[in-house]
Amino acid sequence: MKLFLDTANLDEIQEANRWGVLRGITTNPTLVAKEGRDFLPLVKEICSIVEGDVSIETVGNDTDNLVRQGHEIAQIADNAIVKLSTTPNGLAACRRLSDEGIKINMTLCFTAAQAILCAEAGAYIVSPFLGRLDDISTDSLQVLSEICEIYAVQDYDTQVLAASLRHPMHVIEAARMGAHISTMPFKVFEMLVKHPLTDAGHKRFMDDWEEAKSHLGELLPSMQEA
Ligand code: G3P
């Protein structure tokens, strides 16, 4: 399962990229607006930092206009993916753009029925939102599991991207169910690596090393600099 960051913040993107595990980015109008920067240079820079897919969301709900935005977003960079809402007009735009070979991420998907429509409309990615379903006391993992099962049975090419993730358990469950991608805020990305036993164990090893190092004879040159 590929790990994406759900952000338009360059510092967060650069830091996660440095770890060597970042495979793509998802953005939305809220995340882009938060950065307070000019839209086009910002999304171009994001596309240049990350090798994988970068989803850039359309605005409005007129099919012809969504198709025009899709054409323009697809021109931004080779890895730019067009994000459309799962509405009737969004599906219509998805069909038209997908038929032209433009890659579409269908977002704001909350049910397996919507996910079937997205796949049938030719979407490259479908994005079920887990956290927002949990927020309204709906079992998001049940919905994700239905979508993964249906996509496997139907042999759909559309990738399942688990979105609106709030904690590492969402990421783990998405991986168990066979989601192709998980996207998450940077704070959840950081939570994936953090464990108190890792921190305590590392500190203990380093303390023991410092104490013993003068009696250990010849060390590797790089260890002397550590
Ligand atoms: O970008 C789509 C999605 O991941 C948004 O998540 O946390 O705003 O529900 P959230």
Side-chain angles (χ1 to χ4, degrees):
M1 185 180 72
K2 291 176 276 189
L3 301 175
F4 283 21
L5 262 190
D6 194 30
T7 187
N9 183 279
L10 295 177
D11 291 338
E12 292 178 350
I13 292 169
Q14 262 145 357
E15 176 58 13
N17 207 27
R18 192 177 70 80
W19 297 5
V21 293
L22 184 65
R23 301 284 298 278
I25 300 291
T26 49
T27 66
N28 61 38
T30 308
L31 294 170
V32 169
K34 221 164 76 180
E35 295 309 304
R37 286 194 42 184
D38 286 348
F39 170 76
L40 194 54
L42 176 62
V43 293
K44 274 187 178 165
E45 196 168 342
I46 294 172
C47 290
S48 73
I49 296 171
V50 180
E51 271 184 35
D53 292 338
V54 176
S55 288
I56 300 166
E57 193 151 341
T58 51
V59 290
N61 193 30
D62 171 80
T63 302
D64 288 336
N65 181 264
L66 291 172
V67 169
R68 281 200 299 280
Q69 288 180 55
H71 288 146
E72 290 174 3
I73 289 171
Q75 291 299 313
I76 291 174
D78 287 347
N79 56 344
I81 308 299
V82 178
K83 218 169 161 190
L84 293 164
S85 292
T86 307
T87 61
N89 290 351
L91 286 168
C94 177
R95 175 80 278 158
R96 282 166 56 183
L97 290 163
S98 298
D99 284 349
E100 294 177 31
I102 291 174
K103 292 175 177 171
I104 305 300
N105 175 354
M106 290 302 287
T107 190
L108 290 166
C109 171
F110 293 96
T111 67
Q114 289 179 315
I116 292 168
L117 288 168
C118 295
E120 291 292 338
Y124 171 65
I125 290 172
V126 65
S127 293
F129 276 32
L130 274 55
R132 292 191 195 186
L133 278 173
D134 292 347
D135 291 345
I136 58 159
S137 305
T138 301
D139 186 349
S140 64
L141 294 176
Q142 175 64 30
V143 173
L144 182 65
S145 141
E146 283 169 9
I147 294 171
C148 289
E149 183 188 341
I150 291 166
Y151 271 38
V153 168
Q154 296 294 328
D155 205 19
Y156 285 139
D157 290 334
T158 309
Q159 297 177 81
V160 178
L161 182 157
S164 183
L165 305 186
R166 303 278 161 79
H167 46 70
M169 286 311 294
H170 274 153
V171 181
I172 293 166
E173 288 301 323
R176 275 161 55 106
M177 287 172 195
H180 305 90
I181 306 161
S182 272
T183 193
M184 66 208 82
F186 185 67
K187 68 168 191 279
V188 176
F189 215 86
E190 283 185 311
M191 287 162 79
L192 296 182
V193 71
K194 275 280 172 197
H195 196 283
L197 291 178
T198 304
D199 293 342
H202 184 75
K203 184 176 181 317
R204 171 85 176 273
F205 286 154
M206 294 313 100
D207 291 347
D208 291 347
W209 178 261
E210 273 309 310
E211 207 177 298
K213 142 170 129 176
S214 54
H215 313 295
L216 292 176
E218 194 178 356
L219 303 177
L220 295 169
S222 52
M223 285 179 159
Q224 281 158 4
E225 292 158 21

